[in-house]
Amino acid sequence: MTKHEPESAEALLDAVGPAFGRLRRSSLLEIENPMSQKDLTRTLVLHHVLEAEQDDAREVTVGAVAAHLGTDPSVASRMVSDCISAGYLLRAASQQDGRRTVLHLTPEGRELMARLRRNQRAAFEHVTADWAEAERLEFARLMLKYVASQDALRTRNPD
């Protein structure tokens, strides 16, 4: 147990929520070529579109972005419009229903997401630089397991 770990299992579990809050606010610190706060916000939308494109069967609309982000459709519409203005997204007619407009990443949007992934990895490596390799890999494995479990719950219990 390190000086940063609570002494009991109960205290450790109680500390997880606040730790996630701090993690989110400081996830991309001191890395080379940092992203602007504006582009970090844009990646929330771009990430959802990228995941859907990798799924092939799913098309992303502004409404789907709003549902995914848990925001009002007007907020999602402004976020999407900002991504389009920045050159990261484009609107197109749905191939499944011509009355709908769907979103696609541009090459610039794909590059921004690739840069985000590089920055996220650099931040992880910076923060965990003094950890044993086994600890780094175990934390990464458990974080991915946590996110997969969270996604599975969301799929089973959609709002």
Side-chain angles (χ1 to χ4, degrees), residues 52-139:
E53 286 183 355
Q54 292 169 347
D55 190 6
D56 283 337
R58 271 194 311 150
E59 292 183 326
V60 177
T61 63
V62 172
V65 169
H68 178 75
L69 297 177
T71 64
D72 186 79
S74 64
V75 172
S77 180
R78 285 191 298 275
M79 291 174 78
V80 165
S81 292
D82 177 62
C83 289
I84 291 169
S85 295
Y88 298 136
L89 279 181
L90 56 88
R91 295 182 201 265
S94 166
Q95 298 303 303
Q96 298 171 2
D97 180 348
R99 298 169 293 181
R100 289 190 313 162
T101 300
V102 296
L103 305 169
H104 295 284
L105 287 173
T106 63
E108 293 81 7
R110 290 183 194 292
E111 175 50 38
L112 181 66
M113 292 307 294
R115 187 169 149 223
L116 174 69
R117 299 294 182 254
R118 290 189 302 270
N119 287 2
Q120 288 170 324
R121 176 152 182 180
F124 178 81
E125 289 174 350
H126 176 77
V127 169
T128 62
D130 63 342
W131 294 17
E133 186 67 13
E135 287 179 321
R136 294 170 87 186
L137 295 174
E138 182 65 3
F139 179 77

Side-chain angles (χ1 to χ4, degrees), residues 9-59:
E10 195 68 25
L12 180 63
L13 294 174
D14 285 344
V16 170
F20 273 124
R22 287 191 310 275
L23 178 68
R24 184 173 175 86
R25 288 189 298 274
S26 65
S27 62
L28 295 175
L29 59 120
E30 300 180 30
I31 55 169
E32 193 173 317
N33 196 17
M35 297 177 75
S36 70
Q37 188 61 46
K38 187 76 166 166
D39 276 347
L40 284 173
T41 300
R42 290 171 175 147
T43 64
L44 296 172
V45 174
L46 301 180
H47 176 75
H48 184 58
V49 175
L50 181 61
E51 279 187 336
E53 286 183 355
Q54 292 169 347
D55 190 6
D56 283 337
R58 271 194 311 150
E59 292 183 326

Side-chain angles (χ1 to χ4, degrees), residues 133-153:
E133 186 67 13
E135 287 179 321
R136 294 170 87 186
L137 295 174
E138 182 65 3
F139 179 77
R141 186 187 69 74
L142 290 172
M143 179 61 81
L144 292 174
K145 183 177 180 179
Y146 179 88
V147 170
S149 294
Q150 187 177 35
D151 288 345
L153 286 172

